[in-house]
Amino acid sequence: MACKLVILFFFVNLLMQIPKVRATIPAIIVFGDSTVDPGNNNQVSTVLKSNFEPYGRDYYGGQPTGRFSNGRIATDFISEALRIKPAIPAYLDPKYDIEDFATGVSFASAGTGYDNATSDVLSVIPFWKELEYYKEYQNKLRKYLGKDEANQRFSESLHLISIGTNDFLENYYILPTRSSEYSVDEYQSFLIGIASNFIRELYKLGARKVVIGGLPPMGCLPLERTTNMFFGSDCIDEYNDVAKDFNKKLQGAVTELKQKLGGIHLVMSNPYDKLMEMIRNPSHFGFEDAETACCGTGFFEMSYLCDNMNPFTCSDANKYVFWDAFHPTEKTNAILADYVVKTTLAEFR
């Protein structure tokens, strides 16, 4: 009982510290991968799903939703900080309609990437298709709110993009095609070009407030540490260096786009340093383990390998930085969201 009270106090205290960004943002619209997918993959013919226990065991009602976490994901906490709603629905979830989506919606798909070849690996929604869903959503919202009000909402809404890790860990470093076509540097530039074009398309569709996320220290994900077990299961420095280099290029692209797209409020959110801080000094944030995940053995399980039949899953996810071998716990998501609101989103106040 005492442990539950401590956990409850932590979350209440954390949420109270998140500064509130007032009415300038009426909705949050999300694109990306599993870091921000609240359940779109539930409606897709893919093996990459998480709509079963123990996923979601700490979500409202203890229900798995398709979020790759034990509870809420970062965009849910950001939405709450914007005083919009405590969770962002998945666009393909039949439980929701345009009334729900009017104040926030996610088109994200776990396993996808900037590169179309990445989405092909596990047959998930490609990045370009997320944009097509957004266009469809725009038409629905215009019918619901009226053309003028809907267009104003598009310009005032926060468009958030979180994607890119899968392009390297699921595609470039695993499959031979892209690595034979591009050097790492060239592949980074290839992806940056896709990101830039995506933002230009959003701009043409009326988006004026856009946040694009950089890559995390992907060499420190539990799954990558496991592949490095013969070298002490340390973080893979090469992957982390690639993430840092990519983030520098992405920031350069953001700067260039801001100069070319008049009236756009475009910023980059960089999760690298904050997550690395948690990994290097977990006890400072109240964690006990930043190397292995809570689910299963913590070395390699995710999706169907992280199911309710696995006897090794931890009892308290709040002690862990990572929920499964690839994704953060709800507590980590809350801390990252708090960081984004206090830094990146401060510019939108």
Side-chain angles (χ1 to χ4, degrees):
M1 183 65 181
C3 181
K4 290 183 178 180
L5 288 173
V6 170
I7 293 170
L8 178 62
F9 174 79
F10 171 83
F11 279 114
V12 170
N13 184 55
L14 181 60
L15 290 174
M16 288 177 65
Q17 291 180 36
I18 294 179
K20 301 296 188 284
V21 183
R22 295 185 179 271
T24 52
I25 299 176
I28 179 169
I29 300 169
V30 185
F31 307 88
D33 56 23
S34 58
T35 56
V36 291
D37 179 4
N40 283 308
N41 273 22
N42 298 352
Q43 312 303 320
V44 177
S45 296
T46 176
V47 297
L48 192 58
K49 298 178 185 290
S50 59
N51 56 341
F52 46 83
E53 297 178 348
Y55 286 98
R57 71 182 192 187
D58 298 311
Y59 192 75
Y60 300 114
Q63 294 297 313
T65 61
R67 287 167 172 80
F68 279 80
S69 184
N70 59 302
R72 287 192 287 172
I73 52 180
T75 39
D76 295 324
F77 288 107
I78 291 172
S79 177
E80 187 168 55
L82 299 182
R83 293 184 177 177
I84 299 174
K85 52 190 175 185
I88 298 177
Y91 183 65
L92 298 183
D93 192 329
K95 296 196 302 292
Y96 302 101
D97 57 24
I98 192 61
E99 182 178 0
D100 302 296
F101 299 147
T103 53
V105 61
S106 175
F107 305 100
S109 176
T112 201
Y114 289 114
D115 188 353
N116 288 339
T118 303
S119 62
D120 290 341
V121 175
L122 292 170
S123 300
V124 297
I125 302 169
F127 197 36
W128 65 265
K129 183 64 175 178
E130 294 185 24
L131 191 65
E132 293 302 308
Y133 282 138
Y134 178 53
K135 294 176 184 177
E136 181 181 270
Y137 161 77
Q138 287 194 321
N139 290 332
K140 291 179 181 178
L141 196 66
R142 290 187 181 105
K143 291 179 182 178
Y144 178 68
L145 295 178
K147 182 178 179 180
D148 292 342
E149 185 177 347
N151 288 341
Q152 181 177 359
R153 181 157 298 199
F154 299 142
S155 67
E156 293 178 349
S157 295
L158 176 67
H159 296 70
L160 193 151
I161 305 166
S162 176
I163 195 169
T165 302
N166 296 320
D167 290 303
F168 293 97
L169 300 187
E170 183 185 304
N171 184 356
Y172 188 86
Y173 284 111
I174 299 296
L175 303 177
T177 304
R178 290 308 193 199
S179 57
S180 64
E181 293 176 336
Y182 301 100
S183 67
V184 173
D185 182 71
E186 291 169 340
Y187 191 59
Q188 289 174 333
S189 298
F190 170 68
L191 299 180
I192 296 294
I194 295 172
S196 297
N197 287 335
F198 192 90
I199 293 170
R200 291 189 191 98
E201 290 300 313
L202 285 179
Y203 181 81
K204 290 178 184 177
L205 293 170
R208 291 298 181 269
K209 297 178 180 179
V210 182
V211 175
I212 185 165
L215 297 183
M218 55 190 185
C220 292
L221 300 179
L223 182 61
E224 305 313 316
R225 284 180 181 266
T226 299
T227 64
N228 202 33
M229 64 187 303
F230 292 111
F231 298 93
S233 296
D234 291 332
C235 297
I236 300 178
D237 291 336
E238 178 186 353
Y239 292 177
N240 286 346
D241 289 341
V242 167
K244 287 186 286 187
D245 290 343
F246 179 89
N247 290 345
K248 290 178 183 177
K249 289 184 178 182
L250 184 60
Q251 182 59 66
V254 165
T255 301
E256 183 177 337
L257 286 167
K258 287 169 68 174
Q259 295 171 348
K260 293 182 177 180
L261 303 179
I264 195 170
H265 195 163
L266 171 64
V267 293
M268 175 185 163
S269 175
N270 190 345
Y272 187 98
D273 290 337
K274 181 51 94 175
L275 186 53
M276 183 59 88
E277 186 182 349
M278 284 186 261
I279 291 169
R280 287 177 172 170
N281 190 16
S283 61
H284 179 74
F285 298 89
F287 296 112
E288 295 181 6
D289 194 332
E291 297 184 6
T292 59
C294 169
C295 196
T297 62
F299 295 116
F300 61 88
E301 293 94 341
M302 62 175 288
S303 193
Y304 286 109
L305 293 177
C306 172
D307 62 19
N308 221 24
M309 301 299 291
N310 196 315
F312 301 106
T313 298
C314 78
S315 60
D316 184 2
N318 289 300
K319 296 178 180 179
Y320 291 76
V321 173
F322 295 99
W323 163 247
D324 66 18
F326 214 79
H327 303 98
T329 57
E330 180 182 61
K331 179 178 173 180
T332 301
N333 285 326
I335 294 171
L336 290 173
D338 175 60
Y339 172 75
V340 169
V341 170
K342 288 178 177 177
T343 55
T344 305
L345 295 190
E347 299 189 26
F348 290 91
R349 280 184 251 165

